[in-house]
Amino acid sequence: MNLKGGSGKTTTAGFLCAAFHEAGMRVLGVDADGENESLQGWQEAADLPFPVITLAVSNLHKQLPGIVGDRYDVVVIDTPPMKAQRGTVLSAARVATHAIVPMAPTPIEFDRLSAVRELLADAADVRPDGQPPLFAVLLTRVKPRAASTKVYRELITDEGITVLNAQVGHLERFAQAWGDPITDATRSAYGDAATELLDLGEENAA
Ligand SMILES: Nc1ncnc2c1ncn2[C@@H]1O[C@H](COP(=O)(O)OP(=O)(O)OP(=O)(O)O)[C@@H](O)[C@H]1O
Ligand SMILES: [Mg+2]
């Protein structure tokens, strides 16, 4: 999730689905956006080897558990921009175990994090456990050797927010990814991010 469009949500959702699938997990992709270059459109264009359903509704938290049942190990929800569809993103945050914010290490993206925190606090108020989902930032479109990356990593950490060690480079591979098959996601930064996310859940359970 993220406040505005074009932050890498769909790219991240697609590659995380692929990484979990490659690791042998039963994956369901949920397209809660349905517009633009959506996860569902990607699945159809490239015949991605995991199912994707479109559920662009603000009662996703009510519909999704029944659809998922015990048929999947991992469910990845690709959300619309919060600015446009806050109700849908809030609904996703009501059922999610993890909230992942893909963001570039830039002042504008950093500034938008507070809106995500507010949404997660609102979700916590209405979640059965009263707690927000585990929250982690994934730095994406990172330029090689840019000194700013370390600065934003520290700034975000200082806010008490987890930043995944894995970071996704600004690469042609990702810029051109939508609509094509995804190969070797496990060996990309998204594979490392997927592993970290699973560990994050286990740490918390422990
Ligand atoms: N790591 C990356 N390197 C280079 N380009 C990237 C990277 N990640 C995403 N992009 C490109 O940035 C654009 C926006 O990415 P994406 O569609 O994933 O964002 P989004 O947050 O889902 O957008 P929307 O809010 O419109 O759904 C796309 O053209 C995508 O190919
Ligand atoms: Mg998208």
Side-chain angles (χ1 to χ4, degrees):
M1 56 179 61
N2 207 328
L3 183 65
K4 287 177 90 180
S7 59
K9 299 181 295 296
T10 301
T11 306
T12 296
F15 273 85
L16 284 179
C17 281
F20 289 125
H21 172 79
E22 287 172 18
M25 303 179 91
R26 299 170 302 167
V27 178
L28 175 68
V30 177
D31 184 341
D33 190 354
E35 291 186 23
N36 311 316
E37 287 70 34
S38 71
L39 188 61
Q40 175 91 67
W42 191 354
Q43 201 274 341
E44 282 168 13
D47 197 19
L48 298 176
F50 45 81
V52 175
I53 57 166
T54 294
L55 207 56
V57 291
S58 55
N59 70 347
L60 197 140
H61 60 286
K62 291 198 178 140
Q63 291 196 42
L64 193 56
I67 294 168
V68 172
D70 58 5
R71 288 179 284 277
Y72 300 100
D73 301 310
V74 184
V75 179
V76 179
I77 308 172
D78 180 27
T79 56
M82 282 159 48
K83 195 142 192 161
Q85 304 284 344
R86 195 176 195 273
T88 304
V89 185
L90 180 63
S91 182
R94 290 179 73 165
V95 279
T97 53
H98 299 61
I100 303 145
V101 177
M103 60 170 271
T106 62
I108 291 178
E109 297 272 320
F110 178 67
D111 196 59
R112 291 172 184 165
L113 263 180
S114 57
V116 180
R117 294 192 97 166
E118 281 164 26
L119 180 132
L120 292 176
D122 291 350
D125 286 343
V126 286
R127 279 168 65 104
D129 59 2
Q131 298 292 320
L134 293 176
F135 177 24
V137 162
L138 173 63
L139 293 176
T140 71
R141 295 186 220 206
V142 171
K143 303 272 187 185
R145 292 180 293 282
S148 54
T149 306
K150 189 164 171 282
V151 173
Y152 282 102
R153 191 171 269 287
E154 282 171 10
L155 280 172
I156 301 163
T157 309
D158 286 349
E159 300 261 321
I161 299 169
T162 301
V163 185
L164 298 183
N165 290 321
Q167 56 186 35
V168 180
H170 193 292
L171 297 173
E172 191 65 1
R173 168 177 190 184
F174 300 118
Q176 303 298 334
W178 189 88
D180 278 339
I182 305 171
T183 51
D184 285 337
T186 317
R187 292 202 294 166
S188 74
Y190 282 111
D192 298 332
T195 306
E196 278 187 69
L197 289 167
L198 293 177
D199 289 348
L200 206 63
E202 283 183 5
E203 271 167 35
N204 207 265

